[in-house]
Amino acid sequence: MSINFQVDSTRDATSYSRTAATDTGKQGDGTFAASLESATSALFASAEEERDFAANLTKRLQAAGIDTSKPIALTTDSTGAVIAKDGTTDKDKIDAVFAADPVLANEYRKVASTETLRALGTVYQPYARDYQAAGNDAARASVWQRYQGPFRAVEAAGNELTLSDGTLTSRAVEVAQAAVSTMSAAQGLPAGLVAQVERSNQDSLMDAVGGGKD
């Protein structure tokens, strides 16, 4: 998955909402809003859909004789196929469940994409705040240098979900939360030390993600 961010510091959430409302109003009959809702539903999973998927996946794996009480780490390969990560117990059985059901695999990818977007949003919020607060191009470039590591780490972990006792967790969300927590804790420190802490955090995140790849 590859998601690119472009920041327009001249627009904020208020201006976006106002523009969106105006555009929707031009439709007159709500067609635009309905189309947007339909497209969003097709691309991204709701919280209820994620819970239902986790429950259904648990049942499917149990029916295949797989122990779901222990964490099952899942990802996708270079072709997009959903697989268990190397070293996972019953990997062959798990891979076979997804290979035999394209719908189940598509649901997995939908949930993973949704969680990745949520993770990117977690990092994007403080990034946008710092970017807009920067007073010049050099300062904005510095902000991007600080945040590009977490963005890349989140994207690299985007296809990884773990199923444990009927609950799915996202590696991308975990990476995002860890990055933002560390960067927030560094606020108020001398600039040089902040950069060192953030660089160390970014390296650790990338190493963790890279070390978990197949």
Side-chain angles (χ1 to χ4, degrees):
M1 173 185 298
S2 179
I3 301 176
N4 296 319
F5 276 95
Q6 292 183 338
V7 178
D8 183 351
S9 60
T10 65
R11 300 188 64 181
D12 56 18
T14 302
S15 63
Y16 173 80
S17 299
R18 183 167 56 249
T19 302
T22 301
D23 291 344
T24 302
K26 291 179 180 178
Q27 298 296 322
D29 59 359
T31 301
F32 175 81
S35 298
L36 180 60
E37 182 178 357
S38 177
T40 300
S41 177
L43 292 172
F44 303 111
S46 66
E48 182 178 2
E49 286 177 318
E50 291 194 15
R51 288 192 296 270
D52 288 346
F53 173 73
N56 180 45
L57 178 58
T58 299
K59 292 178 181 178
R60 295 289 300 277
L61 294 178
Q62 289 175 343
I66 298 164
D67 182 4
T68 59
S69 65
K70 299 178 181 178
I72 297 174
L74 303 166
T75 187
T76 59
D77 64 16
S78 59
T79 69
V82 181
I83 59 173
K85 298 188 71 173
D86 286 345
T88 301
T89 303
D90 292 325
K91 172 177 167 56
D92 290 343
K93 290 183 180 179
I94 296 168
D95 293 355
V97 169
F98 282 103
D101 191 340
V103 173
L104 188 70
N106 282 337
E107 289 175 346
Y108 176 94
R109 287 186 285 266
K110 182 177 180 179
V111 170
S113 295
T114 301
E115 290 300 296
T116 299
L117 186 63
R118 185 160 74 92
L120 288 169
T122 297
V123 179
Y124 181 81
Q125 288 181 358
Y127 165 70
R129 177 199 63 212
D130 293 348
Y131 185 93
Q132 293 186 8
N136 52 56
D137 288 344
R140 285 187 282 272
S142 178
V143 170
W144 171 241
Q145 284 297 117
R146 289 165 50 207
Y147 280 91
Q148 64 175 326
F151 276 126
R152 290 173 178 171
V154 166
E155 190 173 349
N159 293 326
E160 299 181 20
L161 300 177
T162 298
L163 179 71
S164 182
D165 283 331
T167 300
L168 281 171
T169 55
S170 165
R171 176 63 178 153
V173 170
E174 293 174 345
V175 167
Q177 292 173 341
V180 171
S181 176
T182 299
M183 296 177 81
S184 297
Q187 296 301 313
L189 296 176
L193 186 54
V194 170
Q196 181 178 342
V197 169
E198 291 176 348
R199 183 167 56 251
S200 175
N201 180 52
Q202 292 171 13
D203 290 344
S204 296
L205 290 172
M206 292 306 294
D207 287 345
V209 173
K213 288 185 177 180
D214 298 315

